[in-house]
Amino acid sequence: MSITKKAIFYVLLLFSAFLIAGPAVMAIGMSFMTNQDILTGSLPSTLTFDNYAKAFNQFPLFQYLFNSFVVSIVITLGQLLLASLAAYAFVFLEFKGRDVLFYLFIATMMVPFEASVIPNFHIIRDLGWIDTYPGLAVPFFATAFGTFLLRQNFKHIPKELKEASQIAGIGDFKFYLTVVLPVSRTSLITLGIYGFLTSWNMYLWPLLATTNDTVRTVQIGLKQLQTQEQLNEWGVIMAGAVIVIIPTLILLFFGQKKLQSDLTEGAIK
């Protein structure tokens, strides 16, 4: 690649990075500005942390953050457990109608989430799970995408390992724990990150499954912050938005290197 083409390539990369990161950088900057500077569109005269103090004082953001962490972690663990067990059954267990059942299971990916909202709501209502962590988390344990992803990875595990484990007297559960899961950690990490981010950003289901602030998640709290801020204090609103995206940024910055190394290791295998 010539110097001119390389320069054009880097200029395009910088321009794309600015377009993508620009709104986030602007939100972070506005969170440290006074409301007067924001409304007038002028450069900040002073930088202040008052917006963050107001965001925590006016709304129970600590409670919302705790609820979101609990729900996201529980959903992530539930998806990893059920998806890995289902994928193991579809790959290593022989039973009649296995492929047909798998295709029917995968076909549920074409059903939009909104179509299952009413049945799920009736189920958790009848179980008495309104305003509870199980009501927020359990409906999302079964994931067709996660099962498909792990099944494709499990299919690359040689069947000879399974046959050797049977000869050695190792049962399915021990083979699943000691061989399948360690070998498939790349896909497990990918599914875990995807599940956590999806759960963290949920809005519609927590809005329907909760009626008070005791178990509501941070996305609901952020919406309340936007609607109840009568004086249009955009600095406070942006401070709340920055607080919400901090966990996803931490996951991106600290998990990216590990994820890339695992993907490379999996490709070499």
Side-chain angles (χ1 to χ4, degrees):
M1 182 182 294
S2 64
I3 298 178
T4 303
K5 291 183 178 180
K6 185 177 292 186
I8 295 175
F9 177 71
Y10 282 114
V11 169
L12 292 176
L13 286 179
L14 289 174
F15 180 73
S16 301
F18 177 78
L19 289 178
I20 295 173
V25 174
M26 183 179 297
I28 294 174
M30 291 173 64
S31 67
F32 294 101
M33 296 170 59
T34 62
N35 195 54
Q36 181 179 358
D37 290 336
I38 295 174
L39 294 178
T40 57
S42 59
L43 294 176
S45 56
T46 58
L47 297 180
T48 176
F49 287 92
D50 291 343
N51 294 326
Y52 289 91
K54 290 181 180 179
F56 280 105
N57 291 332
Q58 296 178 7
F59 298 92
L61 283 184
F62 277 118
Q63 182 66 37
Y64 292 147
L65 289 169
F66 176 78
N67 294 335
S68 289
F69 272 113
V70 171
V71 173
S72 299
I73 291 174
V74 171
I75 290 177
T76 301
L77 295 178
Q79 289 184 353
L80 290 175
L81 176 63
L82 293 186
S84 60
L85 289 173
Y88 181 89
F90 284 129
V91 174
F92 295 102
L93 300 184
E94 298 288 343
F95 55 90
K96 187 176 181 180
R98 182 183 66 178
D99 293 338
V100 175
L101 182 61
F102 173 73
Y103 292 134
L104 289 176
F105 189 62
I106 294 301
T108 60
M109 295 177 62
M110 295 184 293
V111 179
F113 169 73
E114 290 75 12
S116 62
V117 166
I118 295 178
N120 284 333
F121 180 80
H122 282 290
I123 291 174
I124 66 168
R125 184 196 60 186
D126 295 339
L127 292 173
W129 284 358
I130 300 294
D131 291 327
T132 62
Y133 291 132
L136 289 171
V138 172
F140 298 92
F141 279 6
T143 165
F145 169 76
T147 302
F148 173 77
L149 177 67
L150 296 181
R151 176 182 178 270
Q152 296 304 109
N153 189 270
F154 290 177
K155 289 177 66 176
H156 291 86
I157 300 176
K159 293 295 182 65
E160 290 77 10
L161 287 177
K162 183 67 170 60
E163 296 172 356
S165 67
Q166 292 176 336
I167 295 174
I170 298 176
D172 285 306
F173 188 67
K174 187 175 182 180
F175 179 73
Y176 161 80
L177 288 178
T178 59
V179 177
V180 175
L181 293 185
V183 171
S184 306
R185 65 179 180 272
T186 298
S187 296
L188 292 172
I189 292 174
T190 302
L191 179 60
I193 294 175
Y194 175 80
F196 183 88
L197 293 178
T198 303
S199 305
W200 182 267
N201 292 319
M202 283 194 308
Y203 176 77
L204 177 60
W205 180 250
L207 181 64
L208 295 174
T210 58
T211 59
N212 55 65
D213 295 338
T214 55
V215 294
R216 278 184 169 168
T217 58
V218 73
Q219 301 296 337
I220 307 300
L222 181 60
K223 186 61 178 179
Q224 289 179 345
L225 183 64
Q226 294 174 351
T227 57
Q228 296 182 17
E229 194 56 56
Q230 299 177 358
L231 298 179
N232 290 327
E233 294 188 10
W234 290 104
V236 179
I237 297 174
M238 291 303 167
V242 171
I243 293 170
V244 171
I245 67 174
I246 284 177
T248 58
L249 293 178
I250 293 176
L251 188 63
L252 173 64
F253 290 132
F254 290 95
Q256 185 177 22
K257 184 176 181 181
K258 176 64 177 177
L259 180 60
Q260 289 177 344
S261 63
D262 286 340
L263 289 173
T264 304
E265 182 180 353
I268 293 175
K269 288 183 178 181

